[in-house]
């Protein structure tokens, strides 16, 4: 598709039509609460399909049909008062998307003294019904579980409850990332690093959990695109390099121009295939044009990563998915692996050769020439950066032996200190459980030796994403 369909939220409230003639003003009051919920969610994401207050089975079918035809991706069910489950189930069965049940009381508590002074039991009952959102939730949960409806709950207050609204925000963000992944086009250029068995991936398994599309791309295509790049385009891209990176004095003009040519060709390749992420590796022997392209690819791929098209080296497809997830959460998502352990400082040094997510770098990313790519063919320019100091999250998409994917994650701190100035991305991470235990616990779940790192602590969002995608999530710390 040339354009990804908009992410849409479905919203409806529930009630019981029998109440309206019995309790004057109750319906209007509950509709006012629903409007407040709409406004709060619209501040998080504007595309909302609001089916209003559903209080009969007929309205339930109408709402469900509307949600399905308008293509909502997630439904927020606001429980305003008691309602029959028969007026809820048709909505979600028609829509067939995950449901977040909002059990939100209008206030922290009923004003018991004022309530009991009403001296009108009909008015008192109407007042109580405006507060009894918790009442039908067990009934709804029972019916959803028995009919196979995927649902989750947020319990709290409509007003003055930041914990509750943080939960709702995270559900919105997790659903948006699931939507992004379902339409993402992942390019796989080249081939696996021979013998690196942990990174070999079952591509159909990736489709099962994430959706999207995987495009297999020949390195020859990139090499061919390089030939059409003009000298003017190369000069402009070199100037962009100087503006974006801290280009070191020992970087030759020839290498900068070579990297610029490849960077422009990469932009054209990603546009041609509408890529949202990419994994690549190519041995680069026996064909000069291909070797020239691959050995000059790091700066261009770093620029792509910074603008939301994360690129993983060594054909690490699972990690390209992890990087895309992190980037879609606004956390970045840079390619990383263990570099060394520092038992004096109780930290783990982590980084990788190849492209880095320069948008989450601490300071300006350096460009350095490497006269040998360790373990790989060729030479050229590379990037050296550390992830911003402060909270970070690690994420690995793990291919398990049981045929399922697992999201393995951990929260840490990126801390200042000396790094290995070898022209690679590398950072110092401190874990709440200590470096020794972190490494043991992380490894025990069988991830590949690569993972993605992003800024901020976002594990609570990743857990919600896992629920939406039907994937187990393990948090190490």
């Amino acid at each position: 598709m040339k354009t990804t369909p908009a992410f849409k939220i479905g919203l409806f409230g529930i009630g019981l039509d029998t109440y309206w003639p019995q309790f004057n003003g109750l319906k209007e009051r509950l509709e006012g609460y629903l409007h407040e919920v709409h406004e709060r969610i619209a501040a998080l994401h504007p595309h909302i399909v609001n089916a209003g207050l559903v209080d009969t089975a007929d309205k339930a079918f109408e709402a469900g049909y509307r949600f399905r035809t308008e293509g909502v991706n997630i439904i927020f069910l606001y429980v305003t008062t008691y309602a029959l489950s028969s007026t809820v189930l048709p909505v979600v069965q028609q829509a067939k998307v995950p449901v977040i049940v909002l059990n939100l009381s209008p206030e922290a508590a009923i004003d018991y003294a004022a309530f009991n002074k009403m001296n009108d039991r009909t008015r008192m009952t109407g007042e109580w019904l405006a507060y009894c959102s918790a009442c039908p939730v067990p009934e709804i949960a029972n019916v959803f579980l028995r009919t196979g409806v995927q649902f989750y709950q947020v319990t709290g207050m409509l007003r003055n409850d930041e914990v509750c609204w943080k939960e709702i925000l995270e559900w919105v963000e997790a659903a948006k990332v699931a939507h992004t992944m379902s339409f993402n086009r992942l390019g796989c250029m080249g081939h696996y690093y021979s013998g690196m068995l942990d990174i070999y991936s079952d591509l159909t398994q990736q489709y099962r959990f994430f959706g999207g599309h995987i495009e297999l791309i020949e390195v020859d295509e990139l090499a061919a695109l390089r030939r059409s790049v003009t000298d003017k385009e190369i000069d402009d891209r070199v100037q962009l390099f100087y503006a974006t990176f801290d280009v070191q004095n020992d970087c030759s003009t020839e290498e900068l121009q070579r990297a610029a040519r490849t960077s422009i060709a990469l932009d054209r390749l990603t546009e041609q295939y509408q890529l949202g992420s990419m994994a690549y590796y190519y041995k680069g022997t026996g064909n000069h044009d291909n070797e020239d392209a691959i050995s000059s690819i790091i700066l261009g791929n770093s620029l792509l990563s910074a603008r939301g098209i994360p690129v993983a080296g060594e054909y690490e497809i699972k990690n390209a998915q992890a990087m895309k997830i992190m980037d879609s959460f606004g956390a970045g998502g840079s390619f990383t692996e263990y570099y060394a352990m520092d038992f004096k400082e109780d930290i783990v040094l982590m980084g990788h050769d190849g492209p880095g997510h320069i948008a989450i770098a601490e300071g300006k990313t350096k460009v350095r020439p490497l006269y040998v790519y360790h373990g790989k063919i060729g030479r050229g320019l590379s990037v050296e950066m550390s992830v911003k100091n402060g909270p970070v999250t690690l994420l690995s998409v793990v291919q398990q032996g049981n045929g399922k994917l697992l999201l393995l994650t951990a929260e840490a701190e990126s801390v200042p200190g000396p790094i290995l100035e070898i022209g690679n991305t590398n950072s110092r991470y401190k874990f709440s459980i200590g470096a020794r235990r972190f490494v043991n616990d992380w490894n025990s779940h069988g991830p590949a030796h690569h993972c993605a790192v992003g800024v901020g602590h976002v594990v609570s969002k990743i857990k919600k994403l896992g629920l939406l995608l039907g994937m187990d999530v393990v948090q190490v710390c």
Side-chain angles (χ1 to χ4, degrees), residues 3 23 78 97 115 288-289 360 461 473:
T3 303
F23 306 105
Y78 176 37
V97 297
F115 180 89
H288 172 74
D289 287 347
I360 60 170
K461 299 178 185 180
V473 179

Side-chain angles (χ1 to χ4, degrees), residues 242-259:
Y242 275 104
T244 306
F245 300 100
D246 181 6
V247 179
Q248 302 299 287
N249 293 331
D250 53 349
C251 295
S252 70
T253 300
E254 177 190 358
E255 285 294 352
L256 287 165
Q257 291 174 338
R258 203 161 68 92

Side-chain angles (χ1 to χ4, degrees), residues 220-251:
D220 307 66
E221 297 177 70
L222 178 64
L225 288 168
R226 291 179 83 245
R227 299 187 196 107
S228 65
V229 177
T230 67
D231 291 343
K232 174 65 165 59
E233 289 173 318
I234 290 173
D235 291 342
D236 290 345
R237 185 55 55 100
V238 170
Q239 291 306 308
L240 178 63
F241 288 164
Y242 275 104
T244 306
F245 300 100
D246 181 6
V247 179
Q248 302 299 287
N249 293 331
D250 53 349
C251 295

